[in-house]
Amino acid sequence: MNNKAEGQHSSLYTMRRVLPFLRPYRFWVIVKLLCTILNAANDIFLVYVINILVNSSLSGDKEELSKSIQYMIIFIVIGIIMNFLDTYSSGRYSAYAARDMKDKFSSQIDHLPISYMETHHSGDLVSRMTNGITTIENFVKDDLMGIVFEIVRVSVSIIVMFFLSWKLLLFCIAILPLMAILTTRISRPLNEYSSRLQMSLAKSNSAVQDAISGIYMIKSYNLIQVMYGKFKSVLEQMLADSLLVEKRKSVMGSVSVFVETVPFLLFFLFGGYMVIQGDFTAGGLVAFAQLLTYLVGGMGSLPNKISNYSITAGVAGHLFELMDEKTERRGGKTPEISPSAPALEFINVSCSYDGLNRVLKDVSFTLPQGKTLALVGSSGSGKSTVFKLISGFYESQNGCIKLFDEALSEWELSAARSLISLVSQETFLFSGSIAENITCGKTEFNMKDVVRAAKMANIHDYIQSLPEGYQTLVGERGVKLSGGQRQRVSIARAILKDAPILLLDEPTSALDTESEMLIQEAIHHIMLDKTVLVVAHRLSTIIEADEVIVLDEGRIVESGTHKELLDKAGTYKRLYDKQWIKQAESLMVLEGEGA
Ligand SMILES: Nc1ncnc2c1ncn2[C@@H]1O[C@H](COP(=O)(O)OP(=O)(O)OP(=O)(O)O)[C@@H](O)[C@H]1O
């Protein structure tokens, strides 16, 4: 009993959350509501007309007959106008409401923390945005007022039928309570089934997305069969869930047929007998039959509309779950930047992703403005985590991070981020022109600045060689550009942003010598006059840095200049022997050649 009440309450509660999206368009909602009521009233008016028409035809009363024909014309004219307004108004407010929902949900997605994005598949989010909102749009367009229409028409039909013949009515509605019980019982599980279907739909979207974005890896590792197997099992689950929904809907459809036929059977048996007995007119019987059509039609379509309500409530529940997720903090300060303040400070910073294992432990360092600090350490030592904290993607659990002498937690996130350029190894390119990719879609840059940035990033000559130059479209994820070219586009982006702090995850040497040289040069340009924190992979970068910090299992184990650290013969020296000794030898060769 409690569960039942809870389920009903939650679907009602969920659907009530859709209402604010309709509120700005209440004029059209009211138009729709009026049209719905007038359409129902017009249908009842038709019954009145039929009654006069049949009786006057049988009695030969010409005056009544012509009156009924005039009424019929009025019925048609009202019907045409009302139907137009009815469809137009619902189409209008539902399209606007769907637009606003998409707007609100995409803004919510933009403000979700990276931790949410890292634990949820993008396919799931896309599915909620597209299928979810379309289902709600269809419901508010058709079924919401459809329920009102049927309720009004059925109720008025019952009242008119009562006045025409209460005895006939009693016969007809004897079956209705039975039907009501049947439909509510049968429709109840639909909410849960549709919710499950929605989840498997999201999984299948995620699987397709994985197959598309990971296509190179899938092909090179011969994973087509594995991926196909995974996708197939998701499809099977989706099929099973959707069959459950359809089965339930079919049962409800059969119930509708039963409910639509039985009252007619009773009606013609009993009504025909009353006309023969002289207790009822023929016109009254035909009018009653029309009312009965409304009644059973309403009883037949209401279950479908109610089942759509349950489905929509399930889908909307998923959507609002996303809406209730905690977003990144908003608001905060935009402090003045003092030229003497250190650009960055970590004071005993500790951080854990799962609340158990600390991946950074009491990390402290200071990075003065204009200086370069290199972070080195083995894989998993916490270098990227330092970047994520500075960028405000995650928050530290202990200690304090200061940006220009103000705690990062006090800064408005967007203001803090505007002071930081992040150049990572993973370069994301939007679908659009190269120019748009360098400006990140912003319009306030002129082409001169874009070209200057591209020149500094060593990508201008390549862009010029393309037939459409800066207007060349780069496909999804920039597949038309090589890895090195993509990196240089991202460097041009950072040059154009011109933020005072540069967080640089130096590319590992997976590129050919020429490409590497171009990138090195571009990096050199971008580092000029900036405060740089670099996850360094090249010995030359480390040697040039003002300070090197060595991370090991989340802890700073050594710090100093390259030379000082080598002399210590500790962790850095071991890393050096493992990773950089070859680079050191080739540097020496180059220096020798130069001499
Ligand atoms: N989003 C995350 N959720 C949970 N654990 C994470 C997450 N990101 C990183 N970690 C863990 O935190 C630790 C530090 O990872 P981090 O990426 O900072 O290391 P790194 O030094 O940058 O490594 P690499 O040089 O390989 O990129 C690792 O043990 C890693 O598994």
Side-chain angles (χ1 to χ4, degrees), residues 114-115 118-119 352-354 357-360 377-388 394 425 505 535 537 551 554:
I114 295 283
S115 54
E118 284 184 345
T119 47
S352 160
Y353 288 102
D354 55 11
N357 304 307
R358 289 194 305 162
V359 294
L360 287 185
S378 53
S379 178
S381 57
K383 303 178 296 288
S384 308
T385 305
V386 170
F387 277 19
K388 288 184 197 170
Y394 285 85
Q425 296 196 39
D505 191 358
V535 170
H537 298 291
L551 274 174

Side-chain angles (χ1 to χ4, degrees), residues 342 344-350 361-366 396-403 405-407 556:
L344 260 176
E345 260 180 294
F346 267 50
I347 306 162
N348 298 325
V349 172
S350 296
K361 296 157 197 158
D362 294 322
V363 171
S364 297
F365 63 84
T366 303
S396 59
Q397 279 87 25
N398 292 101
C400 179
I401 299 171
K402 282 188 176 177
L403 188 64
D405 240 357
E406 182 67 64
I556 295 181

Side-chain angles (χ1 to χ4, degrees), residues 293-364:
T293 315
Y294 297 156
L295 189 65
V296 293
M299 292 303 179
S301 74
L302 268 177
N304 274 337
K305 292 190 171 26
I306 291 166
S307 73
N308 283 350
Y309 168 83
S310 304
I311 289 172
T312 311
V315 166
H318 274 276
L319 211 55
F320 287 117
E321 242 172 55
L322 185 69
M323 211 52 214
D324 295 336
E325 282 296 331
K326 197 167 167 260
T327 53
E328 281 184 333
R329 64 187 165 81
R330 296 183 205 198
K333 296 184 196 163
T334 309
E336 285 287 314
I337 295 173
S338 144
S340 59
L344 260 176
E345 260 180 294
F346 267 50
I347 306 162
N348 298 325
V349 172
S350 296
C351 166
S352 160
Y353 288 102
D354 55 11
L356 295 171
N357 304 307
R358 289 194 305 162
V359 294
L360 287 185
K361 296 157 197 158
D362 294 322
V363 171
S364 297

